[in-house]
Amino acid sequence: MTDVTPVADAPADAIDRPPPSRSRSSRIDAYAPTAVVRDVVARAHVYCAKFCELANAARCEGSTHGLERTFACVGGRRCDVYECEESGVTTLRASFEAEDAGEELYACEWCAVEEEDAERVESGVKRARFGRIAKTWTPMLAIAGEGAVVRVIDCASGALVRNLVGHGGPVNALATHPKNPTIIASASVDLSVRMWSVNTGVTIAIFAGSLGHRNGVLSLDFHSDFTSDGGVRLITGAMDNAVKVWATPPLKSTIERATKWKSHLSEFQTMVIDTPMFTSNRVHEDYVDSVGWIGDVAASKSVDGKVKLWVPDSPNGISYARGTQFRLISQLPVENANLWWIKFGISSSRNIMACGNMRGAVVAWRLNTRRAPSAAPMALRSISTQRVKSMHADFRLDDSTPCVVRQCAVSPDGSVIVAACDNGLICRWDAVRFGEYREG
């Protein structure tokens, strides 16, 4: 069972140099350009890049060792997995290709399948010693796009593990719950968000309805924590200019049932949530193409060239309040970003945010200081034309041929920023600690 083909020895041009040496300081003061990679076969636009953040989940620590500097990206029918080595080299580790000639991939996300640890179960090791010792999470990669199907791939073997089927239109974004990576959500042009169990393919919940989005959903993100009663919170942005925050009832028992479900998928009682706990089309006045959580603070971006940090007010009574109930904290300007589908990236440690623009520039903000929301961004130095002369003749990385940065991805600790761009281009920057880097 496969409609995703691993690609062996996928050709790519890479121009690398070692990043500056790292000091003991944890403060990131700048980023130095490290590498440029380009797929010379398809040259499709790279719409999404995501670093593996599964090491934050306790049961993934052993199986994801070394993946913290690994990212996946999608463009055309291809999904590529790269490792950002400490030496500065960016190495292609795996590549997959959808067999459907009409497929166009827009989103990728790391997730996991929960499996029993057979050796420990057979040995009779007490659960009290290891907690939930009989279960481990095995890393997977989910990809989706024009075909409306979310494909879950085992990166180690290249096998297609599962197809998540249910959306009625292209899938624009994927997100994994930070505390339980066996749960993912997908945002679609069909006006809905679906939450899935990666283990079984069960649709746990659908977020849509009369008070849902009125146009295609472009972006979503899970809040890092479950609610006090075990529910899940999601933020979504869409082409109806609205941002919405959704909350579920307690889900612990539902998730456990979904993870172990063995009957036909249609027999599972999917939860339908048609009323968000917060909704507003006044945070932005145009398409909302990027959203995320920074603690309890919401971050969102539209084509107005601003990333806004704000806090949604709590629901008021039984009937949820709607309209302008939010407190704006800060606005972070991004010049030349008046084009939709330019998405920011936030590290899983919530210390760095990065966003690109339509002229190939990337800026980053520190989020772990009190002054961060109002501080001037760090402008990432462009990679000079001279360093890419040996690449294909029709490509030059300079202002005369600007390249749109579709999405930025930040490594879990904030030490690496990757920009996914049009025409198959991927750029990498590495962190420079205080006093380490000098021009020239």
Side-chain angles (χ1 to χ4, degrees):
M1 176 186 69
T2 177
D3 59 354
V4 178
T5 306
V7 178
D9 299 323
D13 284 336
I15 298 176
D16 302 304
R17 72 169 183 174
S21 60
R22 304 184 187 281
S23 72
R24 296 181 180 179
S25 171
S26 61
R27 176 185 172 88
I28 296 174
D29 288 277
Y31 285 86
T34 306
V36 178
V37 177
R38 188 176 188 183
D39 183 349
V40 298
V41 177
R43 304 228 178 137
H45 298 337
V46 185
Y47 285 110
C48 180
K50 289 288 184 72
F51 273 93
C52 181
E53 300 176 347
L54 300 181
N56 292 331
R59 282 180 279 162
C60 277
E61 285 183 355
S63 56
T64 60
H65 180 70
L67 291 180
E68 293 83 358
R69 297 172 65 87
T70 299
F71 70 91
C73 58
V74 291
R77 295 162 54 196
R78 280 266 293 271
C79 173
D80 294 327
V81 179
Y82 290 92
E83 180 185 354
C84 297
E85 299 184 31
E86 293 281 355
S87 65
V89 176
T90 304
T91 305
L92 180 65
R93 294 300 184 191
S95 193
F96 312 96
E97 187 171 278
E99 293 182 352
D100 182 359
E103 181 64 285
E104 177 85 3
L105 297 173
Y106 301 141
C108 61
E109 182 61 283
W110 296 88
C111 55
V113 168
E114 186 179 74
E115 297 177 332
E116 289 190 355
D117 190 331
E119 293 182 3
R120 289 178 175 176
V121 172
E122 292 174 1
S123 67
V125 177
K126 293 181 180 179
R127 282 177 177 268
R129 181 180 174 187
F130 295 95
R132 298 185 63 184
I133 192 62
K135 302 293 183 181
T136 57
W137 284 329
T138 302
M140 299 285 163
L141 188 62
I143 59 175
E146 191 70 26
V149 176
V150 180
R151 298 176 173 91
V152 180
I153 305 168
D154 184 340
C155 288
S157 65
L160 176 67
V161 175
R162 187 160 290 105
N163 281 328
L164 307 181
V165 180
H167 279 299
V171 175
N172 292 322
L174 297 168
T176 297
H177 196 287
K179 296 293 177 62
N180 187 346
T182 69
I183 303 301
I184 67 171
S186 53
S188 174
V189 172
D190 68 6
L191 317 186
S192 75
V193 169
R194 286 176 173 254
M195 188 164 67
W196 315 81
S197 169
V198 178
N199 260 55
T200 59
V202 162
T203 303
I204 298 173
I206 299 175
F207 303 84
S210 59
L211 298 179
H213 285 292
R214 302 297 181 88
N215 209 333
V217 188
L218 296 175
S219 185
L220 79 164
D221 191 29
F222 278 104
H223 194 284
S224 59
D225 294 320
F226 290 98
T227 60
S228 57
D229 60 2
V232 166
R233 279 174 289 176
L234 278 166
I235 183 171
T236 58
M239 298 174 72
D240 59 2
N241 308 349
V243 286
K244 296 179 184 288
V245 177
W246 307 80
T248 69
L251 282 182
K252 182 177 180 181
S253 61
T254 303
I255 291 174
E256 289 179 354
R257 284 193 302 111
T259 302
K260 300 174 182 178
W261 192 256
K262 295 182 179 180
S263 301
H264 195 279
L265 296 182
S266 63
E267 297 178 9
F268 188 87
Q269 189 173 355
T270 298
M271 186 180 303
V272 177
I273 300 173
D274 60 3
T275 303
M277 65 175 290
F278 169 87
T279 182
S280 177
N281 58 5
R282 298 190 181 183
V283 179
H284 298 282
E285 297 179 352
D286 212 320
Y287 292 176
V288 182
D289 56 8
S290 193
V291 294
W293 288 107
I294 306 171
D296 289 328
V297 176
S300 58
K301 179 199 156 291
S302 181
V303 297
D304 55 6
K306 298 174 184 176
V307 176
K308 295 185 178 182
L309 305 182
W310 50 279
V311 177
D313 282 353
S314 300
N316 182 17
I318 298 175
S319 179
Y320 289 156
R322 303 176 63 210
T324 61
Q325 298 81 18
F326 66 94
R327 300 188 301 278
L328 183 64
I329 295 176
S330 184
Q331 299 186 79
L332 309 178
V334 184
E335 295 182 358
N336 301 309
N338 306 108
L339 181 69
W340 76 290
W341 204 295
I342 293 179
K343 301 187 177 186
F344 57 70
I346 305 173
S347 64
S348 61
S349 57
R350 299 301 189 259
N351 65 333
I352 295 292
M353 172 190 283
C355 189
N357 69 8
M358 53 198 293
R359 294 190 177 181
V362 174
V363 293
W365 296 269
R366 288 188 297 270
L367 302 175
N368 55 354
T369 65
R370 289 184 178 181
R371 295 179 55 203
S374 59
M378 296 177 281
L380 277 60
R381 273 198 321 127
S382 62
I383 300 172
S384 65
T385 302
Q386 288 72 24
R387 292 186 58 221
V388 296
K389 273 187 175 180
S390 61
M391 300 181 76
H392 198 272
D394 66 358
F395 169 72
R396 293 176 65 84
L397 186 62
D398 58 21
D399 291 338
S400 63
T401 55
C403 193
V404 178
V405 178
R406 292 299 179 178
Q407 185 168 18
C408 286
V410 188
S411 64
D413 63 355
S415 63
V416 181
I417 293 177
V418 167
C421 311
D422 283 357
N423 301 318
L425 179 69
I426 302 166
C427 296
R428 169 187 167 188
W429 290 263
D430 281 63
V432 179
R433 309 294 174 174
F434 182 78
E436 286 185 5
Y437 184 73
R438 293 181 177 85
E439 293 286 342

